[in-house]
Amino acid sequence: MKRKIKYLIWGCSTAIIALTAIQTYFIYNTYILKEKDAETLVRAELTRMESEINIDSIRNDWFTQAEMLVRTKGAEAAAAFLSRGSPAISRQVSAYIRKNKILEKYKTTYEVIIHKVSLQGDGSVLNLNNKRWFANGVVNGGHQLILHDLISNSDADGALVRNFNSRSTFTIHGGSSSILREMLGLLIFSVVLLTVVILLFYFSIRSLITQKKIADLQTDFINNITHEFNTPLATMGIALSTVRSQLLLMEDNGISSNGLNVLDRQYHRLKKLIDQVVTHTGVTGQLVLNKVEIPLLDFLEKLLDDFQSAHSGIELIRKLKEVPKEILADPFYLTTAITNLLGNGVKYGGTQLIVDVMKQEDRCRVMITDNGIGIAQADISNIFHKFYRVEKGDIHTTKGLGLGLFYTRSIAGAHGGELSVQSIPGTGSTFTLIIPLA
């Protein structure tokens, strides 16, 4: 049992780790997909922005100014003009991004860099590299994404601005926080689900360990009780042997002999019952039967006589007219099963017991009806479980371990039969034991 619990703990831990890994994998993939969706949305909005503010027209006008500066003031003046960038375009871009919900949501930074431009003037060539043209902010970190490149290699006669090469880039600074806010519901659900699974595993394992402790306590209790019972039983057996040997020396009047036979049968039955309790509380396997042909009427008469002797205040009604002639069964176990059912009737308030035995095709049906307190419907499905005892009304005052009906159903099952019950609270119960004849 301890090894099974260890395996269960190991299996549960592995399952939790696997579930966590799978959840993390799916959440990460969801994040990546949303990040790509955000990038696509921002890219589309920036392209629309360039179209709406007519970047191409502004850029052409700006080149025209640079050309004029080269012609009038020289390449150095044009280089200074280009190095300053275009504050006017930057202001337009910043205003557009602030008003755009998507670009503002993801805190987008848009930037255009002049990677290279050649200025022809005064018989010399002046090259500018990596100069900021316009932007809505300073890109200082983050994952820079390329929107598009603009390359213009103009060698036409008279052109003073040549080999123009620029790149438009953007960066999403608020993407992670925005995406995480969108995924907050999924993250909370995943954490709650994982927590519930862990708690279920925890309570299941704790319940299993608790049940094992209870089962161990029950087994120890039964073993101790049966050990204590064996001592007086052994003494009783010696006393019975002594009395029987003395009766052989005396004149037998029949009454003493009959009483001694009843005591002897009950002694051996009690001895077997104690042995069976030890076996049956620790073993859940099938009973091993020693089936013999039993003359059923004689068998039942002796059994009921013994029960009546022990319960003289009980009215025992016998309906044995249709009893099968013989039955193939284990006499000890069959005695135990019927006696358990009779005892239950008395134990739970019955003052009248009706024993109805008859043949049904190839089976023997034993019906035992009592006028006791009955059984609630909610308890009927549980009364055949090991150690189950009803704890309602006056039933809690009844002594017992909750093994009788479990043991009786096991006996019926071992014979290939069945045990069922019908009961109305306050009226009584009827237990039906069905055993195959052969």
Side-chain angles (χ1 to χ4, degrees):
M1 187 66 176
K2 289 183 179 179
R3 181 174 295 179
K4 289 182 179 179
I5 293 176
K6 288 182 180 179
Y7 286 154
L8 180 61
I9 294 174
W10 180 85
C12 290
S13 301
T14 303
I16 290 172
I17 293 172
L19 181 61
T20 304
I22 291 171
Q23 287 285 93
T24 303
Y25 173 77
F26 282 123
I27 290 173
Y28 175 75
N29 278 352
T30 302
Y31 177 85
I32 295 299
L33 288 173
K34 285 186 173 292
E35 192 175 49
K36 289 181 178 179
D37 289 342
E39 178 184 329
T40 302
L41 287 172
V42 170
R43 189 182 297 275
E45 291 300 319
L46 289 175
T47 301
R48 184 181 295 114
M49 176 194 73
E50 290 184 341
S51 175
E52 289 185 9
I53 67 176
N54 202 354
I55 289 289
D56 290 338
S57 176
I58 296 173
R59 181 174 57 233
N60 291 336
D61 292 342
W62 199 67
F63 284 165
T64 300
Q65 294 181 52
E67 287 269 346
M68 289 297 296
L69 284 174
V70 173
R71 293 179 187 279
T72 58
K73 297 184 179 182
E76 293 291 343
F81 172 74
L82 292 174
S83 296
R84 286 194 300 271
S86 178
I89 304 177
S90 296
R91 285 193 293 271
Q92 284 183 283
V93 169
S94 297
Y96 186 94
I97 289 177
R98 282 195 301 270
K99 293 178 181 178
N100 188 282
K101 292 182 179 180
I102 295 176
L103 298 179
E104 178 64 22
K105 172 184 177 182
Y106 292 109
K107 294 181 173 52
T108 307
T109 300
Y110 171 78
E111 182 181 52
V112 179
I113 299 294
I114 300 174
H115 282 294
K116 182 179 179 181
V117 65
S118 298
L119 304 176
Q120 308 287 333
D122 300 327
S124 62
V125 178
L126 183 61
N127 294 317
L128 293 178
N129 297 305
N130 297 323
K131 295 296 181 179
R132 178 182 296 234
W133 187 358
F134 56 86
N136 70 316
V138 178
V139 179
N140 53 0
H143 180 49
Q144 291 191 22
L145 303 168
I146 298 173
L147 184 62
H148 57 72
D149 289 331
L150 176 62
I151 300 174
S152 174
N153 295 318
S154 176
D155 294 325
D157 293 338
L160 300 179
V161 180
R162 298 185 177 184
N163 302 322
F164 180 79
N165 184 350
S166 69
R167 169 171 288 181
S168 301
T169 62
F170 67 95
T171 302
I172 300 175
H173 291 286
S176 297
S177 58
S178 297
I179 292 171
L180 289 175
R181 281 195 296 270
E182 291 178 5
M183 294 176 59
L184 185 60
L186 177 62
L187 291 171
I188 293 174
F189 175 76
S190 299
V191 171
V192 170
L193 178 62
L194 189 61
T195 303
V196 169
V197 171
I198 292 173
L199 289 176
L200 287 175
F201 281 145
Y202 169 74
F203 286 118
S204 297
I205 293 172
R206 191 177 73 170
S207 176
L208 184 63
I209 293 173
T210 302
Q211 288 178 0
K212 181 184 179 301
K213 290 180 179 179
I214 293 173
D216 290 342
L217 288 173
Q218 289 172 337
T219 302
D220 291 342
F221 172 74
I222 296 299
N223 289 338
N224 291 334
I225 288 296
T226 51
H227 175 73
E228 294 300 324
F229 280 170
N230 279 327
T231 300
L233 276 176
T235 304
M236 187 184 299
I238 294 172
L240 283 172
S241 299
T242 302
V243 172
R244 187 178 294 279
S245 63
Q246 291 298 318
L247 283 177
L248 294 176
L249 302 176
M250 299 170 59
E251 183 179 352
D252 185 7
N253 58 9
I255 298 176
S256 299
S257 181
N258 289 336
L260 189 61
N261 288 336
V262 171
L263 287 174
D264 188 60
R265 285 198 301 271
Q266 294 305 313
Y267 161 74
H268 284 94
R269 180 173 173 273
L270 183 58
K271 186 72 170 66
K272 286 186 178 181
L273 279 174
I274 291 173
D275 293 338
Q276 289 301 321
V277 167
V278 175
T279 302
H280 217 68
T281 52
V283 180
T284 58
Q286 193 66 260
L287 298 175
V288 179
L289 304 180
N290 181 24
K291 292 184 179 181
V292 296
E293 291 287 347
I294 301 174
L296 192 54
L297 183 59
D298 183 60
F299 172 83
L300 291 171
E301 289 288 2
K302 289 182 179 179
L303 187 154
L304 296 176
D305 286 343
D306 289 348
F307 187 83
Q308 185 72 79
S309 299
H311 302 83
S312 56
I314 300 299
E315 181 184 3
L316 187 60
I317 301 174
R318 310 180 189 193
K319 297 183 178 181
L320 308 177
K321 293 183 179 180
E322 300 181 24
V323 174
K325 184 177 180 181
E326 290 184 337
I327 186 173
L328 183 64
D330 186 306
F332 167 72
Y333 284 116
L334 187 58
T335 300
T336 300
I338 296 174
T339 305
N340 280 347
L341 296 178
L342 293 169
N344 262 17
V346 175
K347 187 185 297 183
Y348 293 104
T351 57
Q352 181 190 75
L353 300 179
I354 302 173
V355 181
D356 186 356
V357 182
M358 64 180 298
K359 180 179 179 182
Q360 281 187 334
E361 298 178 352
D362 59 345
R363 301 185 300 174
C364 176
R365 186 192 70 180
V366 180
M367 295 179 62
I368 299 176
T369 303
D370 65 70
N371 61 345
I373 60 177
I375 306 168
Q377 291 299 314
D379 294 311
I380 284 181
S381 60
N382 296 316
I383 59 174
F384 297 110
H385 293 170
K386 186 188 290 187
F387 297 116
Y388 182 83
R389 299 188 68 235
V390 178
E391 298 293 339
K392 294 180 181 179
D394 296 330
I395 301 178
H396 67 279
T397 61
T398 305
K399 306 300 181 182
L401 298 174
L403 284 171
L405 291 177
F406 167 77
Y407 193 19
T408 303
R409 173 169 275 191
S410 299
I411 292 171
H415 282 85
E418 60 186 54
L419 176 64
S420 60
V421 61
Q422 291 181 333
S423 182
I424 299 176
T427 301
S429 305
T430 298
F431 286 87
T432 302
L433 175 65
I434 296 178
I435 301 292
L437 293 176

